[in-house]
């Protein structure tokens, strides 16, 4: 039946040939998600998405699960997924994916748990430095600096990160994007 719907262009697309997977056309999926977000109570919608993330994780769809965990701000679940998937991601050279997930986790914690968020951003920074990813480096550096704005008790580590910015500017003098440049300058001004 799904193949027939896909063949007739009825909001279904097919991925893969030998073992096909069917999904809603992206525009139709977006429409359905928008309707659900509008019609379902916020807490119920969050719970549905949280359950979906767990199902995706169990089904081996780590990227989609990570995105949903981020969307519902379930940082402990995202942290568990990161710890579980990190060895495989690193073994396959997917450092950027791992760094991105760590940055999401850091962003989610920055306001409420700045010290733990800083640890997340620092891990991401190390990963991006290893793979020489300028966009990731600048973004995670800005994340580290933003945590000092929320945690006023110990500002001593700021000096180390100012020195790190000097290294960044020397090795990557051009900002990867205007957005990253603006976030970096905002982090400096905190």
């Amino acid at each position: 039946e799904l193949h027939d719907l896909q063949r007739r262009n009825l909001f279904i697309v097919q991925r893969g040939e030998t073992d096909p997977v069917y999904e809603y056309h992206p525009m139709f999926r977006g429409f359905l998600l928008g309707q659900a977000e509008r019609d379902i109570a916020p807490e119920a919608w969050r719970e549905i998405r949280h359950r979906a993330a767990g199902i995706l994780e169990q089904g081996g769809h780590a990227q989609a699960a990570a995105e949903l965990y981020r969307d519902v701000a379930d940082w402990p679940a995202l942290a568990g997924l990161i710890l579980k998937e990190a060895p495989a991601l690193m073994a396959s050279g997917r450092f950027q994916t791992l760094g991105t997930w760590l940055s999401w986790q850091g962003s989610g914690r920055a306001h409420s748990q700045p010290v733990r968020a800083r640890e997340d951003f620092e891990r991401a920074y190390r990963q991006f430095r290893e793979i020489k990813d300028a966009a990731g480096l600048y973004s995670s550096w800005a994340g580290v600096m933003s945590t000092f704005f929320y945690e006023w008790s110990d500002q001593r580590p700021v000096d180390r990160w100012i020195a790190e910015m000097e290294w960044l500017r020397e090795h990557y003098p051009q900002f990867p994007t205007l957005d990253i440049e603006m976030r970096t300058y905002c982090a400096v001004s905190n």
Side-chain angles (χ1 to χ4, degrees):
E1 296 241 351
L2 288 174
H3 178 72
D4 185 52
L5 292 173
Q6 180 269 328
R7 186 183 55 75
R8 294 174 29 208
N9 292 321
L10 296 176
F11 305 111
I12 302 291
V13 293
Q14 177 183 333
R15 305 274 186 240
E17 293 294 323
T18 56
D19 193 16
V21 174
Y22 297 92
E23 58 188 43
Y24 287 124
H25 184 280
M27 287 177 56
F28 185 56
R29 182 178 182 274
F31 168 76
L32 291 174
L33 288 172
Q35 291 294 111
E37 191 169 355
R38 189 191 80 204
D39 295 342
I40 299 173
E43 192 52 40
W45 180 234
R46 183 186 184 284
E47 179 57 30
I48 290 168
R49 291 168 40 211
H50 185 267
R51 283 195 325 243
I55 292 167
L56 287 165
E57 182 178 355
Q58 288 176 349
H61 302 282
Q63 178 69 36
E67 290 172 9
L68 278 176
Y69 284 141
R70 178 202 58 196
D71 291 348
V72 299
D74 186 342
W75 309 120
L78 180 59
L81 179 65
I82 290 169
L83 290 172
K84 185 174 83 176
E85 296 293 326
L89 289 171
M90 291 172 62
S92 64
R94 295 180 59 205
F95 297 105
Q96 188 167 7
T97 298
L98 181 59
T100 299
W101 291 2
L102 290 168
S103 290
W104 289 346
Q105 184 175 349
S107 297
R109 293 182 180 178
H111 303 283
S112 61
Q113 299 175 317
V115 174
R116 291 195 61 199
R118 187 174 314 126
E119 293 167 0
D120 295 334
F121 284 123
E122 288 175 350
R123 267 194 307 278
Y125 186 88
R126 286 191 299 273
Q127 293 291 330
F128 287 128
R129 189 162 178 172
E130 188 172 315
I131 63 170
K132 299 175 174 63
D133 182 310
L137 282 164
Y138 277 108
S139 295
S140 55
W141 182 90
V144 166
M145 293 303 287
S146 71
T147 65
F148 291 108
F149 178 77
Y150 299 107
E151 188 240 344
W152 290 92
S153 61
D154 185 10
Q155 300 290 306
R156 289 173 293 173
V158 170
D159 291 340
R160 175 176 156 257
W161 286 99
I162 290 172
E164 198 63 32
M165 173 50 71
E166 293 170 3
W167 179 89
L168 259 175
R169 297 301 294 146
E170 179 182 323
H171 288 84
Y172 303 97
Q174 297 293 335
F175 286 101
T177 67
L178 180 59
D179 177 60
I180 288 173
E181 182 177 7
M182 298 311 297
R183 277 189 280 141
T184 302
Y185 286 131
C186 286
V188 169
S189 67
N190 283 338

